[in-house]
Amino acid sequence: MTVDLGEAARQLVDGVNTGVLATNNPDGSPQMSVVWVGRDGDDLLISTAAGRQKDSNLRKDPRASLLVIDKESADRYAEIRGIATVTEDLGRVVAQQLAEAYAGPGAGQEYVDLPPEIIRTVIRITPHKVILHV
């Protein structure tokens, strides 16, 4: 069941705070990655390269948990649990947007300049549970 992200969690994501994405390895063990995160409505967006562990894990088991931590106060965070879909980042648009949000104007150019054989994907997490600590 999809849930509303809520204003406090939206503010954390929109505040350009780092996230920690948890996925499940094929053997059931956890795998975590530090990620940049954006938002499309209440869905969370992460960019990665096709074939990375998080990409592969979510294609096999779409359950994900994302912890977004306030850069000003580690006591303030949101854990968003949900189901992920993985699609190609056509034009590398999401990669560019996140790079510019986190690293500044022009930072997304490195994704534009990647060779065409390097495929970027978008991980879209639809929230099913939101746990806030604010």
Side-chain angles (χ1 to χ4, degrees):
M1 169 175 69
T2 302
V3 299
D4 184 72
L5 195 55
E7 192 55 36
R10 281 188 208 99
Q11 286 177 0
L12 281 169
V13 173
D14 293 347
V16 192
N17 292 296
T18 302
V20 180
L21 175 66
T23 66
N24 296 303
N25 284 316
D27 67 1
S29 63
Q31 186 272 334
M32 298 175 79
S33 302
V34 175
V35 295
W36 292 342
V37 59
R39 194 168 60 80
D40 179 17
D42 280 345
D43 285 352
L44 303 172
L45 304 177
I46 297 164
S47 175
T48 191
R52 288 209 174 139
Q53 193 65 52
K54 57 187 163 284
D55 174 87
S56 298
N57 286 351
L58 290 169
R59 288 176 188 272
K60 292 177 181 129
D61 181 349
R63 295 174 298 164
S65 182
L66 179 69
L67 186 69
V68 180
I69 306 163
D70 188 330
K71 63 184 170 254
E72 301 298 324
S73 174
D75 295 11
R76 190 170 177 262
Y77 58 86
E79 180 188 356
I80 299 100
R81 298 178 191 169
I83 299 298
T85 57
V86 181
T87 58
E88 186 173 343
D89 186 0
L90 298 173
R92 301 177 181 147
V93 172
V94 173
Q96 292 173 50
Q97 290 171 342
L98 291 174
E100 293 191 1
Y102 280 84
Q109 188 62 41
E110 73 178 271
Y111 295 102
V112 173
D113 295 339
L114 288 172
E117 64 271 11
I118 297 177
I119 307 297
R120 297 292 303 182
T121 61
V122 176
I123 297 167
R124 176 182 291 269
I125 300 171
T126 300
H128 289 195
K129 183 169 186 155
V130 177
I131 301 164
L132 289 171
H133 187 269
V134 292

